[in-house]
Amino acid sequence: MIHHKIAPISALRNLGKKLTNHPLVEDKSGVALIEFAFTAPIMLTVGLTGMETANLAVAHLQVSQVAMLVADNASRVRESIDEADIREIFTGADLTGRAIDFSPNARIILSNLEHNGESGSDEGQWIRWQRCYGGNTNYSSSYGDEGDGEDDSSLSAGVGPAGNKIAATPAAGINFVEVVYDYKPLISDRFFGNIIIRYESAFVARERDDHALRNASSISSSDLWTCNRYAVVS
C-alpha cells in the first residue's frame, strides 16, 4: 500500500503567502490595457453609430430645407417668372446642400400646378411647366410631367401622395417641389444600409397672375433646366 504524505496546513499557508508576494502576482500594470482591449470595440461602435446617426439627421434637415426653399423662392417671384429665376432658385439649392454633397446625388423636380380651365368631365389640374435640377439620373416626378392634365381630368385630384394631394384654385398657381437624395454615409452604409431621402413641399405663388414660364434673357435651349437635363450649377 502506498501512503501519501499530506502537507501541514501551516505549510500550505506559507506557500500561499509566497505566491501572493510573487512579482508576477503583484504586477497589475496590464489590467487597464486588458480592460481597454475588451471595451474599445464596443465604445468605438457606439461612437461611430452616434456620428452616423447625427449625419443622417443633418442630411434629412438639409434636404427638407432644400425642398421648402425651392418651393418658397419660386412662389416669391412676382408678376411673371423667367428661366433666369429658375437658375437663381437652383443655385440657392446647390449652396444650401453643399455640406452633404447634394447636387450630384439628388434630383429636384419643380412643377407649376394650375387649374386647367376646363369644366365638366375634363376639369382638373394641369402641370403647366416643369423644371429639374441635379445629377442623379435615377429619379423623375412621382406625380406627372409637364403638360399633364392640360385638357383632361387625369390630374383631377391634384398631385401629391395618396390621401394628401394638393390642388390649385382657378385663381392661383402652386409651385410643387419633389426632392430625392441618395444619402452618402459619413462612415459606412453598414450602419443603416442604402437610404433614399425624399421630401416634398408646396407654396402658392404670391402676387402673380401670370404663371407662364418666360425666357426674357433668351437663354439657349441647351442651358434650360428642363427635366431631360442632368447637370449641376457650375
Side-chain angles (χ1 to χ4, degrees):
M1 178 180 291
I2 299 174
H3 295 278
H4 296 281
K5 187 175 182 181
I6 301 175
I9 295 177
S10 58
L12 293 175
R13 287 177 178 173
N14 291 333
L15 178 61
K17 290 180 180 180
K18 290 180 179 180
L19 290 175
T20 302
N21 296 325
H22 195 280
L24 290 176
V25 176
E26 291 182 344
D27 188 2
K28 300 179 181 180
S29 60
V31 173
L33 182 61
I34 294 173
E35 291 176 347
F36 178 77
F38 279 112
T39 60
I42 299 173
M43 297 304 296
L44 182 62
T45 301
V46 171
L48 293 179
T49 302
M51 291 173 63
E52 194 65 67
T53 302
N55 189 66
L56 179 59
V58 169
H60 269 279
L61 177 62
Q62 294 211 315
V63 174
S64 68
Q65 286 180 334
V66 167
M68 187 166 57
L69 177 74
V70 171
D72 187 23
N73 285 346
S75 299
R76 289 178 181 272
V77 181
R78 301 180 180 182
E79 297 181 3
S80 65
I81 189 167
D82 192 88
E83 296 285 2
D85 297 316
I86 299 298
R87 181 176 180 82
E88 290 182 2
I89 291 167
F90 287 159
T91 299
D94 174 76
L95 293 172
T96 301
R98 285 191 176 178
I100 58 171
D101 198 21
F102 175 82
S103 292
N105 300 295
R107 192 68 170 161
I108 299 174
I109 302 103
L110 168 61
S111 303
N112 180 80
L113 185 68
E114 298 178 51
H115 188 277
N116 65 3
E118 301 289 340
S119 59
S121 60
D122 291 328
E123 183 177 8
Q125 299 291 299
W126 168 33
I127 299 177
R128 183 166 188 161
W129 53 261
Q130 194 173 72
R131 291 293 180 265
C132 297
Y133 175 76
N136 195 322
T137 61
N138 296 325
Y139 307 105
S140 57
S141 175
S142 299
Y143 308 115
D145 301 317
E146 182 175 314
D148 285 358
E150 182 176 2
D151 52 15
D152 57 48
S153 60
S154 58
L155 295 177
S156 59
V159 299
N164 195 26
K165 293 183 180 294
I166 189 168
T169 66
I174 292 175
N175 292 292
F176 185 85
V177 174
E178 304 163 68
V179 179
V180 189
Y181 169 70
D182 283 337
Y183 173 68
K184 297 303 171 186
L186 180 66
I187 310 297
S188 172
D189 59 7
R190 293 185 178 183
F191 288 98
F192 302 116
N194 295 322
I195 295 178
I196 300 171
I197 300 177
R198 179 186 292 271
Y199 280 93
E200 297 166 357
S201 183
F203 279 78
V204 176
R206 278 96 84 182
E207 300 183 30
R208 189 167 78 226
D209 297 325
D210 182 3
H211 302 291
L213 184 58
R214 306 189 182 283
N215 190 10
S217 304
S218 299
I219 299 173
S220 65
S221 58
S222 61
D223 289 329
L224 299 179
W225 294 99
T226 52
C227 290
N228 60 351
R229 181 184 180 193
Y230 297 89
V232 301
V233 172
S234 57

